[in-house]
Amino acid sequence: MAYFDAASAAPLHPVARQALQASLDEGWADPARLYREGRRARMLLDAAREAAAEATGCRPDELVFTSSGTRAVHSGVAGALGGRWRVGRHLIVSAVEHSSVLHAAEVHEADGGTVSQVAVGREGAVTAEGYAAALRPDTALACLQSANHEVGTVQPVAEVAEVCRAAGVPLLVDAAQSLGWGPVDGDWSLLAASAHKWGGPSGVGLLVVRKGVRFAAQGPVDERESGRAAGFENIPAIVAAAASLRAVRAEADAEAVRLRELTERIRARVAGVVPDVEVVGDPERRLPGIVTFSCLYVDGEALLHELDRAGFSVSSGSSCTSSTLTPSHVLRAMGVLSEGNVRVSLPPGTAAEDVERFLEVLPGAVAGVREKLGAPAAAPVAAVGGDALVVDSLGKRCPIPVIELAKVIGEVPVGGTVRVLSDDEAARLDIPAWCEMRGQEYVGEEPADRGVAYVVRRLS
């Protein structure tokens, strides 16, 4: 089985396994106690903090360990907002942040705060100008991921941090995807990350709060981790997390070159071996191991099952894999196709032979899913005048509405229109994306008795 989902969780690094096993015998005691066992545990915890701080580019007393990366994000957002409540209650996030950031923003908004989302382009990146335009006198905090978890696009953190610093606004960086590859550039104020993203054990996150940043921990606190992460520290897991971070950093430069070559091979060849594919994300400013593409006329969940049966573990941002009938917020913000979306994220050590085998298997898997989805009878089509058609796709999940649009677009003359009736939220993204890929004009939405009518004009 080839595991190609390292962006969700990287396999446990051998160094992490060794450190975890070794520290189980020495790190079980309370590090706050002064007896021998407590002192041993404290030494392990302090050494792990120093190693993690060195890798992150901060002081050891600025870094605390949390129970997860999500907890680090939630504590960081709440604490920074709490520390600057006198300034205001305005929060800035990008439209493609990880759900942990967006959930924290939702809680803030429900509590009476305000939130602004900075838009991204089709390659998934924000601009410093976008953050500058969102800043207000009452802005308490801005958040930006260092690299996107779904498409791999690297964000301009240093430029955004400079804009925020000039306005006196702290910037919290979610570095979960990138920290294993190197420290985050720029004059950021807070940083959160998660050990299982770089090959450490799950259940360990880290939160960095720079000296001078106003921070007021929210909720119950205790004396541990500078009052920013309550509860008994999981020292064996923390030691393993720090050890694996140091280990992957030592290997990062060489492994980045190798994984970039493999992902470039996928990016370059996937469009040649599979028709009607859109490779998404920035082609240059991207993480080494992530490549994401979307296939027209393919159900994402069905494709993932086919690839799983062929021996490949991949993930998807497609609407069909979330059980919600809504496309990924990242793909939606980028305005790209969500149909048949596949994210390949290669862990360190991935063999070139596995990538070659994936490229051999992929065309057949896509063709098989398309054959199954192409079997339904064409949607009921009613002519409305001589130059318009109505496609009734109500009650059908994408990609069926797009498939039925493709079947009938040739039945109207150039300049004529097709109205696709759909009640699947994903159609709002996939029909315009189909038009862009096929050189047709997306006119817009019209109200309908049920669902929405998506209007497409034939140009060729």
Side-chain angles (χ1 to χ4, degrees):
M1 192 76 179
Y3 181 75
F4 287 177
D5 194 22
S8 293
L12 193 65
H13 194 282
V15 168
R17 188 182 304 277
Q18 295 168 6
L20 182 62
Q21 291 174 340
S23 58
L24 284 171
D25 292 331
E26 297 291 332
W28 54 268
D30 188 344
R33 298 296 177 251
L34 300 179
Y35 41 71
R36 181 183 305 168
E37 294 84 357
R39 294 197 304 272
R40 287 176 181 169
R42 170 56 63 182
M43 289 175 61
L44 289 173
L45 180 59
D46 289 346
R49 196 184 313 278
E50 290 177 7
E54 181 182 3
T56 306
C58 67
R59 292 169 35 162
D61 59 352
E62 294 175 328
L63 184 150
V64 299
F65 294 105
T66 66
S67 59
S68 68
T70 296
R71 172 52 56 195
V73 165
H74 290 173
S75 297
V77 170
L81 289 171
R84 286 173 50 83
W85 67 273
R86 293 180 185 277
V87 173
R89 303 201 65 200
H90 178 232
L91 171 66
I92 301 174
V93 300
S94 84
V96 294
E97 292 299 310
H98 188 270
S99 58
S100 61
V101 174
L102 299 183
H103 291 161
E106 290 171 1
V107 169
H108 175 63
E109 199 166 27
D111 194 38
T114 57
V115 178
S116 295
Q117 281 197 2
V118 177
V120 299
R122 282 188 65 84
E123 293 178 344
V126 301
T127 64
E129 293 76 13
Y131 269 75
L135 288 167
R136 306 187 328 204
D138 63 337
T139 301
L141 177 68
C143 299
L144 178 63
Q145 58 190 191
S146 55
N148 186 260
H149 51 292
E150 288 193 23
V151 300
T153 297
V154 173
Q155 300 289 359
V157 173
E159 294 90 333
V160 172
E162 183 177 354
V163 166
C164 291
R165 179 68 66 178
V169 174
L171 177 68
L172 184 150
V173 177
D174 173 12
Q177 289 296 335
S178 73
L179 194 60
W181 297 107
V184 178
D185 294 333
D187 196 11
W188 45 267
S189 302
L190 303 97
L191 180 143
S194 186
H196 75 277
K197 300 290 189 179
W198 66 67
S202 58
V204 179
L206 60 84
L207 171 64
V208 177
V209 181
R210 295 284 200 190
K211 292 295 181 184
V213 175
R214 291 186 177 275
F215 190 92
Q218 304 298 293
V221 298
D222 59 24
E223 72 282 1
R224 299 179 188 275
E225 295 301 300
S226 303
R228 293 174 181 166
F232 198 101
E233 299 93 341
N234 185 348
I235 294 176
I238 288 171
V239 169
S244 59
L245 180 56
R246 175 176 285 178
V248 298
R249 281 293 189 80
E251 305 160 353
D253 290 344
E255 194 61 20
V257 171
R258 204 179 67 83
L259 290 186
R260 283 190 190 280
E261 191 279 327
L262 294 178
T263 53
E264 284 303 317
R265 190 181 307 181
I266 298 173
R267 287 179 63 87
R269 288 176 50 186
V270 70
V273 298
V274 180
D276 298 318
V277 165
E278 180 181 19
V279 181
V280 301
D282 194 297
E284 301 294 335
R285 287 176 57 91
R286 58 185 305 100
L287 291 175
I290 297 180
V291 57
T292 306
F293 54 89
S294 299
C295 307
L296 268 177
Y297 318 133
V298 170
D299 177 276
E301 185 174 4
L303 180 55
L304 263 58
H305 287 319
E306 288 293 324
L307 292 171
D308 182 51
R309 281 192 286 268
F312 295 96
S313 301
V314 299
S315 65
S316 173
S318 174
S319 58
C320 301
T321 61
S322 63
S323 303
T324 62
L325 295 184
T326 58
S328 149
H329 72 278
V330 172
L331 301 179
R332 185 169 60 244
M334 294 169 62
V336 298
L337 187 70
S338 75
E339 290 180 28
N341 179 262
V342 174
R343 180 186 68 184
V344 175
S345 49
L346 307 177
T350 296
E353 293 78 9
D354 287 339
V355 171
E356 285 298 322
R357 190 166 64 87
F358 174 77
L359 290 169
E360 293 172 1
V361 166
L362 181 65
V366 173
V369 173
R370 283 176 173 164
E371 183 178 0
K372 293 174 183 176
L373 292 176
V381 177
V384 183
D387 63 349
L389 290 175
V390 175
V391 175
D392 185 354
S393 291
L394 293 168
K396 300 175 182 177
R397 283 174 48 174
C398 276
I400 299 301
V402 180
I403 291 174
E404 294 174 340
L405 167 62
K407 287 179 178 179
V408 303
I409 190 70
E411 297 182 19
V412 298
V414 173
T417 60
V418 177
R419 286 169 170 78
V420 182
L421 302 178
S422 177
D423 49 10
D424 181 357
E425 178 66 23
R428 180 169 279 112
L429 178 61
D430 287 344
I431 289 177
W434 179 89
C435 291
E436 180 157 335
M437 290 183 69
R438 288 305 193 189
Q440 309 298 346
E441 179 186 356
Y442 178 64
V443 178
E445 300 179 10
E446 291 182 352
D449 292 338
R450 286 180 56 209
V452 176
Y454 299 95
V455 184
V456 176
R457 177 174 288 111
R458 182 184 176 191
L459 298 182
S460 60

